[in-house]
Amino acid sequence: MTTGVAGSFPSGLGSMPSYPVPLGFVFRSRAKEEKGPAAKAAVTDSTQPRHPQAPKGRPTPKRSEAQTQRRSVANTATTRKGAAKRQRDERRAQMERQRQALAGGDERYLPARDKGPVRKFARDFIDSRFNVAEFFLPMAVVILVLSMVRVGSLQSIALLLWLIVIVLIVLDSIATGFRLRKRLPERFPDQNRKGAVAYALMRSLQMRRLRLPKPQVKRGERP
């Protein structure tokens, strides 16, 4: 025991230990303590999503492979554009052929609703005769003008003309449909005649110069 100030520690506690302390233990523990947060941070960072252009674990492609891939994408885009352009050109050419066919009557390029010998006969049957319905538009204009005049007598005449025109169109359409329905089985007994009468009556409502396909027979000519 050493003498000293009151409350001092024994001499054995103040002196250095007799056995050597390994320094590597101290430094190793500090190194581990310093590396611990860094390792945790690295693990935490690895959970974050990576940029889609640089996916993890995928090797960087060679320059030749990248160029080949870009060239393939460019060729694909060019091919699609070329195909779309060809489709547009073909559609435009088909529409032009149909327009010429409607003007000239070429059966090869007519729309589906106008194709066939049955439809052609129905058109010729209507075009070869006068139809009351084809004069409906000009008569409607005249009647409309008369009805706008603030004269009682003229308005009465306009109303009467409306009734006369409607009755004449209905009677003429009934007679035309009856005759055509009788002629079609005689000319085309083994072909599909469905819708031909309605097709002809719709054509009769149009003025002759506005009909498409253009009339191929003259008035009074037997189809």
Side-chain angles (χ1 to χ4, degrees):
M1 300 287 292
T2 58
T3 62
V5 184
S8 62
F9 295 98
S11 60
L13 296 176
S15 61
M16 296 296 293
S18 59
Y19 56 89
V21 179
L23 299 179
F25 173 78
V26 177
F27 291 108
R28 191 183 304 114
S29 62
R30 292 181 179 176
K32 288 183 178 180
E33 292 177 357
E34 293 176 355
K35 290 181 179 179
K40 292 181 180 179
V43 172
T44 304
D45 294 339
S46 63
T47 60
Q48 297 179 357
R50 300 181 63 83
H51 196 275
Q53 298 296 334
K56 183 179 178 181
R58 180 179 298 178
T60 303
K62 296 180 180 180
R63 178 177 298 178
S64 58
E65 296 177 356
Q67 291 178 352
T68 303
Q69 186 177 5
R70 288 195 297 268
R71 193 178 298 111
S72 176
V73 173
N75 292 337
T76 303
T78 304
T79 304
R80 290 178 180 176
K81 291 181 180 179
K85 185 177 183 301
R86 286 194 300 271
Q87 290 179 357
R88 289 195 301 269
D89 293 341
E90 291 176 359
R91 192 181 304 111
R92 191 178 297 110
Q94 183 178 2
M95 292 178 63
E96 179 63 23
R97 288 195 297 267
Q98 286 186 358
R99 188 187 65 80
Q100 294 178 0
L102 290 173
D106 192 348
E107 287 284 337
R108 295 175 299 172
Y109 304 113
L110 285 176
R113 64 182 180 86
D114 299 316
K115 282 186 177 181
V118 177
R119 298 299 174 96
K120 184 178 185 305
F121 178 80
R123 291 195 302 269
D124 294 343
F125 184 85
I126 295 298
D127 297 337
S128 63
R129 60 192 302 273
F130 285 95
N131 302 277
V132 179
E134 66 180 290
F135 302 104
F136 172 76
L137 185 60
M139 287 188 296
V141 174
V142 174
I143 294 172
L144 182 61
V145 172
L146 291 177
S147 63
M148 294 177 63
V149 178
R150 296 183 177 276
V151 178
S153 58
L154 292 180
Q155 291 181 351
S156 300
I157 293 174
L159 180 59
L160 181 61
L161 287 177
W162 268 120
L163 294 176
I164 294 174
V165 168
I166 292 175
V167 170
L168 289 177
I169 290 175
V170 171
L171 293 178
D172 184 65
S173 299
I174 292 174
T176 302
F178 178 79
R179 293 174 184 172
L180 181 60
R181 190 175 287 106
K182 184 179 179 180
R183 294 282 303 276
L184 286 174
E186 298 175 357
R187 295 288 298 268
F188 309 98
D190 300 329
Q191 297 190 25
N192 184 15
R193 303 180 300 273
K194 184 178 180 180
V197 176
Y199 173 78
L201 293 179
M202 289 298 296
R203 185 176 178 85
S204 67
L205 293 174
Q206 302 172 352
M207 299 179 64
R208 181 181 175 88
R209 66 180 61 184
L210 301 179
R211 294 172 183 171
L212 291 175
K214 293 292 185 181
Q216 302 296 317
V217 296
K218 297 179 180 180
R219 295 189 188 271
E221 183 178 352
R222 187 178 180 86

